[in-house]
Amino acid sequence: MITQILTSRTDEPASAQLATLAERSASGALSTEAGIVYLAAGRVVHVESAHAPALGDLLTHSGALATDGWWEAIDRAGRRCRVGRQLVDSGHLAAGALELCHLGALFDAAYFVLAHDGPALRFRPGVAHWLGAVRSVPVDTVLRESRRRRELLHRIWPEPAVDRAPLARIQDAGAADLPARRSRILAQVDGVRTAAQIATALACRTFHTLVELRRLAAAGMVAPADSVAPAAGPADSVAPAAPSAPAASVVPEAPPAPGAPVMSPAPAAGSPVPVPVFPDEPETALLRRLLHALEAL
């Protein structure tokens, strides 16, 4: 019986559990360490992850939906698991705009849930998400797309810590020559924000944000904040000795010591790293459709 499938943690990867649940046309919520996958009749209807912006954040931050309209829909239809339907029926959001934004959020969250394909924690039969039915996706499609994204990001920059850790700038050399979207993302890197928080602030798709952040990492411009060596400490101890000697003659001879505001990572990232150029991924067309739908509201 479906009610006996995975009630506690196992060593079987979440992807294998999802495939099993799809074969049995299960409905419920599969929890992992990185998020929750909601199923209805063996198909994925929603995915949540703390590492990806929530659907409500994307809709409200982009201006497609007023914050009051979002919370009104939750208050009226949350307990009945019909928030998506309420948004459309009340006229707050067009059905096409909701569907496209929902699919984008679903695939973004699924990437994080399945990125390391760790063991599932438990399956709760019959549990439904309060958003309700918007559009379901076959499990095979979700698994295949998550794998494609993981491989693409690995080719750009093979360090996955960029996806989840707070990020810091290493250097701004060449920042003026960056494409507009990459420059906007770099401007949000402050040593505190993660990729998901940057995507939320810019109302951007998380995957596209990850692509740009990995390209910035490959160019030696950003890195996880805990891997960037702080330069503030040494500066305080060196500064008092400066008045006793000509500053102009001392500074050029020891550039790393004077504690300049530019930080450098533990592994020297000064050597240029070729950044692969990829054609637009399939989600670009989806994003364009979303933008057109939002502009038509």
Side-chain angles (χ1 to χ4, degrees), residues 59-60 62-77 82-98 293-294 296-297:
L59 290 172
T60 55
S62 66
L65 178 67
T67 303
D68 290 344
W70 172 253
W71 288 111
E72 177 188 340
I74 291 178
D75 290 340
R76 292 189 176 187
R82 289 179 57 86
V83 171
R85 189 72 260 165
Q86 175 68 26
L87 288 171
V88 175
D89 292 345
S90 63
H92 286 301
L93 199 62
L98 173 62
L294 295 178
L297 296 179

Side-chain angles (χ1 to χ4, degrees), residues 159-259:
E159 178 48 65
V162 173
D163 298 349
R164 304 188 184 197
L167 300 173
R169 298 190 197 188
I170 296 175
Q171 46 135 331
D172 286 334
D177 299 326
L178 293 174
R181 181 168 65 180
R182 202 172 308 167
S183 180
R184 288 195 300 271
I185 290 173
L186 178 62
Q188 297 292 322
V189 176
D190 58 1
V192 177
R193 288 174 173 161
T194 63
Q197 291 169 328
I198 292 172
T200 300
L202 296 176
C204 292
R205 289 278 306 281
T206 308
F207 179 63
H208 295 133
T209 303
L210 291 178
V211 168
E212 299 299 346
L213 286 172
R214 293 245 191 162
R215 286 171 173 162
L216 289 168
M221 302 181 74
V222 303
D226 59 3
S227 69
V228 176
D236 296 335
S237 60
V238 174
S244 62
S249 63
V250 174
V251 174
E253 295 178 4

Side-chain angles (χ1 to χ4, degrees), residues 37-195:
V37 180
Y38 292 86
L39 301 167
R43 293 168 65 93
V44 178
V45 292
H46 194 65
V47 185
E48 285 184 340
S49 174
H51 302 292
L55 176 63
D57 290 335
L58 292 174
L59 290 172
T60 55
H61 281 73
S62 66
L65 178 67
T67 303
D68 290 344
W70 172 253
W71 288 111
E72 177 188 340
I74 291 178
D75 290 340
R76 292 189 176 187
R79 293 185 179 181
R80 295 180 287 120
C81 297
R82 289 179 57 86
V83 171
R85 189 72 260 165
Q86 175 68 26
L87 288 171
V88 175
D89 292 345
S90 63
H92 286 301
L93 199 62
L98 173 62
E99 180 178 316
L100 290 171
C101 195
H102 169 255
L103 284 175
L106 185 153
F107 282 113
D108 281 348
Y111 163 75
F112 286 103
V113 171
L114 299 168
H116 303 291
D117 205 12
L121 300 180
R122 63 173 176 158
F123 177 70
R124 293 172 290 162
V127 173
H129 192 271
W130 46 261
L131 181 67
V134 177
R135 181 171 179 175
S136 62
V137 182
V139 167
D140 286 346
T141 300
V142 174
L143 295 177
R144 183 171 59 252
E145 176 62 13
S146 297
R147 182 169 56 251
R148 186 193 72 84
R149 293 182 177 201
R150 184 168 61 249
E151 293 171 352
L152 172 62
L153 292 173
H154 183 81
R155 291 198 299 270
I156 297 174
W157 181 248
E159 178 48 65
V162 173
D163 298 349
R164 304 188 184 197
L167 300 173
R169 298 190 197 188
I170 296 175
Q171 46 135 331
D172 286 334
D177 299 326
L178 293 174
R181 181 168 65 180
R182 202 172 308 167
S183 180
R184 288 195 300 271
I185 290 173
L186 178 62
Q188 297 292 322
V189 176
D190 58 1
V192 177
R193 288 174 173 161
T194 63

